[in-house]
Amino acid sequence: MTMALTQRISYFAIGCCFVFFVIIFSVLFAYQSISLATQQEAFAQRIESHTDVLKQIILSKQLFAKNNRTQEWITYHNQLQELIKTAPRMTAKQQVILNSIASRNLNLKALFEKQTPQQLDNANKILQNHFNARLLTQLESIRADAVNLSKDVQRNIKETVEQEFMLIAVVLLLSLSSLTLGAVKLKRVVKTSLNEVEEGIKNNVTDHFQQIDLTYPSEEFESIVTHFQEMNRKLEENSISIDAMQQIIAERTKILEEISRTDPLTKIANRRAIYERGALEFSRSKRANSSLTVMLFDCDFFKKVNDEYGHFCGDELLKHLCNICQLEIREVDFLGRYGGEEFVVILPACKIEDSKETAKRIQERLYQNPLTFRGQMIPITISIGMSTQNARHENFEQLLNEADQAMYQAKHKGRNRIEVFNTDTD
């Protein structure tokens, strides 16, 4: 049966999610088991603590003496009774121990209530000691049961941790094994199919067109193979003339050349095209003895925009900036992206005064048309540096370098400025 590659990937993703939920469920189950065992141990320790307090009252020889501590003993005993009622969920064995504790506690209460403080207060020391000994015996029995309960709980905690560890380890091992096998299988399907398609294309020659048979059929690769076979069929039916092929190559070459000179983001000229056009305009200006001005500007605080709104917003800002500039420059002017957030405008037959007016118009339009991004208005300012050609310039690179220095001078003086390279400092 043919299975789509996307379907295989979907099954693999579902398997990963299932493994994840199994592991999470195992961890949660282990946490609940250990949490319950911890509550059981804390319960047993609290019973031990209460019995120790009651024993201490008896051992202090003040239970039925004058200024006795009978009321204090009754208070702690009532607390012990209430504590037994609040026992957490127990195992069958632990419930037996808990029932024994409850029964012994009732016996303790009945034993204490048989005697009144007035009776024992007037009794001799032997009778008081005998009664205290019976109370201590009952308390020791309760405490012994509490200790056994605590030991059983601790043993359960250890067993639970070991069992859950083994369970999680087995689940992880099985899950990783299954995922590894799935990943290997998926990789083999993709790699084998790609190699078969690549081999078929490589061995495809005129008058001997290659047929591709997939080892692991899938909808995606079968679609490629179908189109490949259809292409071969058409090649067999039609012969393409050398002139037609050369025309196709020329068109493709022209497209590639345009792509190599275009910035992919802003769709304007890139650095390479800037230097080519700059060299052409520089030579033309030299021959015609006309003016040539280069404007280089940088978007102020561009990094801050990227940090606050994200790189997608930064990309939109650069495209918005290019659109504004193209509205204000002449058709003969040339706009290109120099790199990052820096742009170059080549203004042939344009004196520095006219170039400054163009720069001011760009700044004014940017001020009037801030970028709107997700409902927020983001103002844009640029720092502009300019340089105009004169006799001392030997090439376009010198002119561009001076505009770059002027632009950095504009940034240094506070940004959102226009600076012209001062030839006196050269």
Side-chain angles (χ1 to χ4, degrees):
M1 184 181 76
T2 302
M3 182 180 294
L5 186 61
T6 54
Q7 192 175 2
R8 294 177 188 268
I9 296 174
S10 298
Y11 287 154
F12 182 74
I14 292 172
C16 292
C17 293
F18 176 76
V19 168
F20 174 77
F21 283 115
V22 168
I23 294 173
I24 292 297
F25 177 79
S26 302
V27 172
L28 289 177
F29 181 76
Y31 172 79
Q32 291 177 350
S33 300
I34 294 173
S35 177
L36 177 60
T38 304
Q39 294 174 16
Q40 294 168 348
E41 184 179 17
F43 172 76
Q45 291 177 351
R46 289 175 65 189
I47 291 179
E48 288 184 50
S49 176
H50 274 71
T51 56
D52 288 339
V53 172
L54 292 172
K55 285 172 57 180
Q56 186 63 34
I57 295 174
I58 295 172
L59 293 174
S60 66
K61 308 294 184 181
Q62 297 179 6
L63 182 58
F64 296 107
K66 290 182 178 180
N67 300 321
N68 59 69
R69 300 171 65 185
T70 304
Q71 188 60 42
E72 183 180 357
W73 195 92
I74 293 173
T75 300
Y76 275 102
H77 183 262
N78 290 336
Q79 291 177 0
L80 178 60
Q81 283 185 303
E82 293 300 322
L83 176 60
I84 293 173
K85 294 178 182 178
T86 61
R89 181 163 54 89
M90 299 285 182
T91 63
K93 181 179 179 181
Q94 293 168 356
Q95 189 63 46
V96 172
I97 299 174
L98 179 61
N99 292 338
S100 176
I101 292 174
S103 177
R104 293 181 189 278
N105 185 57
L106 291 176
N107 292 336
L108 177 66
K109 180 180 180 182
L111 178 62
F112 181 80
E113 290 176 347
K114 283 182 180 181
Q115 305 297 329
T116 64
Q118 291 78 11
Q119 290 174 328
L120 289 177
D121 191 30
N122 298 322
N124 56 39
K125 293 295 183 181
I126 295 175
L127 185 57
Q128 289 182 1
N129 291 338
H130 174 72
F131 181 71
N132 288 344
R134 292 180 66 184
L135 290 176
L136 287 172
T137 300
Q138 288 295 327
L139 288 171
E140 280 295 338
S141 299
I142 295 174
R143 190 179 188 282
D145 286 340
V147 170
N148 290 333
L149 179 61
S150 179
K151 289 181 179 179
D152 187 74
V153 169
Q154 291 175 0
R155 183 169 57 254
N156 284 348
I157 290 176
K158 182 180 178 181
E159 292 176 355
T160 300
V161 171
E162 292 176 351
Q163 291 173 0
E164 294 305 323
F165 176 79
M166 290 300 297
L167 175 63
I168 293 175
V170 170
V171 169
L172 282 175
L173 181 61
L174 293 176
S175 302
L176 289 176
S177 300
S178 301
L179 293 179
T180 301
L181 290 175
V184 170
K185 175 68 175 177
L186 186 61
K187 179 182 178 182
R188 183 166 63 247
V189 170
V190 175
K191 186 175 181 180
T192 302
S193 300
L194 284 174
N195 289 338
E196 289 171 347
V197 171
E198 181 183 4
E199 192 68 21
I201 295 174
K202 186 186 299 183
N203 296 331
N204 205 42
V205 295
T206 305
D207 299 329
H208 185 68
F209 299 110
Q210 185 74 19
Q211 298 292 322
I212 300 176
D213 295 319
L214 295 174
T215 305
Y216 302 102
S218 63
E219 291 182 4
E220 291 80 6
F221 282 100
E222 283 191 344
S223 176
I224 295 174
V225 170
T226 301
H227 286 84
F228 180 78
Q229 309 291 22
E230 180 66 17
M231 180 190 69
N232 284 343
R233 186 185 65 79
K234 291 181 179 180
L235 287 174
E236 289 176 344
E237 295 175 355
N238 305 290
S239 61
I240 301 177
S241 66
I242 297 178
D243 293 337
M245 184 64 71
Q246 289 178 342
Q247 182 179 358
I248 293 173
I249 293 173
E251 291 174 354
R252 296 295 186 271
T253 302
K254 182 178 179 181
I255 293 173
L256 290 175
E257 288 179 351
E258 291 178 357
I259 293 174
S260 68
R261 290 176 171 82
T262 303
D263 177 64
L265 175 64
T266 59
K267 307 305 179 185
I268 62 173
N270 61 12
R271 191 186 187 99
R272 174 186 175 184
I274 290 173
Y275 278 101
E276 290 179 354
R277 181 63 175 269
L280 177 64
E281 294 295 344
F282 185 89
S283 300
R284 183 181 297 167
S285 176
K286 280 277 191 183
R287 291 193 304 270
N289 195 25
S290 61
S291 58
L292 174 65
T293 301
V294 172
M295 178 194 308
L296 193 150
F297 60 87
D298 179 275
C299 183
D300 296 330
F301 305 109
F302 181 74
K303 183 178 182 302
K304 182 178 180 182
V305 173
N306 274 337
D307 292 340
E308 289 185 6
Y309 301 97
H311 289 279
F312 180 77
C313 177
D315 293 343
E316 293 299 313
L317 186 147
L318 295 179
K319 290 189 282 188
H320 179 72
L321 178 58
C322 291
N323 293 335
I324 293 296
C325 290
Q326 288 174 330
L327 292 174
E328 294 299 333
I329 62 177
R330 303 169 301 174
E331 290 185 1
V332 296
D333 297 334
F334 185 82
L335 171 64
R337 185 180 181 186
Y338 190 64
E341 64 272 24
E342 294 183 349
F343 295 83
V344 171
V345 180
I346 300 174
L347 301 103
C350 187
K351 296 181 180 180
I352 193 64
E353 292 79 12
D354 297 329
S355 301
K356 289 173 69 175
E357 289 299 321
T358 300
K360 289 178 182 178
R361 290 198 307 271
I362 293 173
Q363 288 184 325
E364 181 64 22
R365 186 175 283 264
L366 285 173
Y367 174 78
Q368 296 174 355
N369 298 273
L371 174 66
T372 302
F373 182 76
R374 294 177 180 173
Q376 289 185 288
M377 305 292 287
I378 303 175
I380 307 172
T381 61
I382 57 176
S383 299
I384 303 175
M386 291 183 176
S387 179
T388 187
Q389 182 181 0
N390 54 42
R392 61 195 179 84
H393 292 112
E394 298 180 358
N395 50 51
F396 171 75
E397 285 77 6
Q398 290 181 346
L399 196 63
L400 185 61
N401 182 58
E402 290 179 356
D404 184 64
Q405 294 180 44
M407 185 267 290
Y408 277 100
Q409 188 177 12
K411 279 188 169 295
H412 182 70
K413 290 183 177 181
R415 294 183 172 85
N416 195 23
R417 295 174 56 87
I418 301 171
E419 293 290 332
V420 179
F421 182 79
N422 188 358
T423 56
D424 295 336
T425 61
D426 190 17

